[in-house]
Amino acid sequence: MSQTAPAAEPLDAVDVIRTKRDRRDLSDAQIDWVVDAYTRGAVADEQMSALAMAILLNGMTHRETARWTAAMIASGERLDFSGLRGPDGRPRATADKHSTGGVGDKITLPLAPLVAVFGVAVPQLSGRGLGHTGGTLDKLESIPGWRAGLTNEQMMGQLRDVGAVICAAGSGLAPADKKLYALRDVTGTVEAIPLIASSIMSKKIAEGTGSLVLDVKVGSGAFMKDEATARTLAETMVALGTDAGVTTVALLTNMATPLGLTAGNAIEVEESVEVLAGGGPEDVVELTVRLAEEMLACAGVHGADPAQALRDGRAMDVWRRMIEAQGGDPHAALPVAKEWETVYAPADGVLVELDALKVGTAAWRLGAGRARKEDPVQAGAGVRLHAKPGALVRAGEPIMTLLTDTPERFDRAKEALEGAVVVAPAGSRPAQQLVIDRIA
């Protein structure tokens, strides 16, 4: 019996690899083909690995990065919120926020309902944690009954009725990115700025939001450790969004120290609810309000007072409706870790450093995060901080509490914390600049 031979491909993967290996620009046709062919399985993992490494080493022009992003978008569906209206029948503008990931970064939780207070719809498609950075969906899944998976129709309905949704991205959005991200993760090419930028922006543009605010983290707990690299990434993403017709701005924010006083899942939800109740740590409130102001301005809403909407309970009202719409009980007790252990201040003085990466790694090892995407997480695990840089401490005072259901994890978590806490003789207190710069 004869078999039909597979159709010949119009281009060759080796030629594409050689082009970038030799520091030449990829043509539009090469980019379109290689992204599509890899998604279809016509380009092998080892070939795309070689190309990703060549991109990491030799970079991409803005034209190449923009075309690569467009090819990633074209691999799947695009959502359209242009016809979205509120319960009153009036059109709703849309605004979204993306963080490049950090420790204790629970900002999305209070931010989405806060922005929705002012009539702007927030379609927040979020992900799960991997390694030391926490995942928004993991945090919310600690709320009894809450579900991350929604159909496009359910998401549109919730945006219309509530104004905010935080959910998992559907498999139809930029499937090329899902496949390529997994490959980059195991081939040492995650740090390639053109690939980071196209990964983030392909999903956000395909999502269909009208405006986007990027929170680009800088410091030990961020993927971008230095300001120059973070600035390059922010500028690249802002240009990609602007070219695609999405009003885009970026804030460079400090991730040398964890945000707030918690790093975990349920304990970050607890802290987010404190912010929505008008309290909470100053840095979490400051960044939530600043990002809300940026999102509202991008959506054309001026003169709003997000800080007041936190104080007077309006944001809390939207939060409760948002959680209930996804099956959750906003009044239910959150999971609590079965075991705890305290870390104490090593000396008298001023706490001058609390390393975000080491705290995040400790939370991960306690069970709050995962090493592989399929790993489970503990809802109650994490690190609760009792002091932040600038605080006066005494030797033997609690600095943090480690939380887990499995006490055998404590030793490795404490290993991760070696050198995380630096106390200096009392004197000047270090200033922590939370928002470093704005890029538009």
Side-chain angles (χ1 to χ4, degrees), residues 103-104 106 258-259 261-265 267-268 359-360 363 368 381-385:
V103 179
K106 71 278 297 173
L259 265 170
L261 295 170
T262 57
N265 295 310
I267 55 175
E268 289 197 44
V359 172
V383 178
R384 191 182 293 276
L385 304 175

Side-chain angles (χ1 to χ4, degrees), residues 10-85:
L11 295 175
D12 183 84
V14 175
D15 289 338
V16 178
I17 295 165
R18 285 173 176 156
T19 298
K20 185 50 61 179
R21 181 200 67 186
D22 297 340
R23 298 178 179 160
R24 291 180 283 131
D25 294 352
L26 299 175
S27 69
D28 289 351
Q30 285 178 313
I31 291 170
D32 292 348
W33 174 79
V34 79
V35 171
D36 173 65
Y38 179 60
T39 308
R40 291 186 283 111
V43 168
D45 280 347
E46 58 268 26
Q47 292 173 314
M48 184 56 88
S49 298
L51 180 57
M53 185 60 73
I55 291 169
L56 171 72
L57 297 175
N58 298 324
M60 277 181 158
T61 65
H62 175 70
R63 179 199 61 79
E64 287 177 289
T65 306
R67 190 71 180 202
W68 189 279
T69 304
M72 302 263 276
I73 295 169
S75 71
E77 65 179 339
R78 292 188 70 158
L79 301 181
D80 182 5
F81 298 121
S82 60
L84 182 64
R85 295 180 180 274

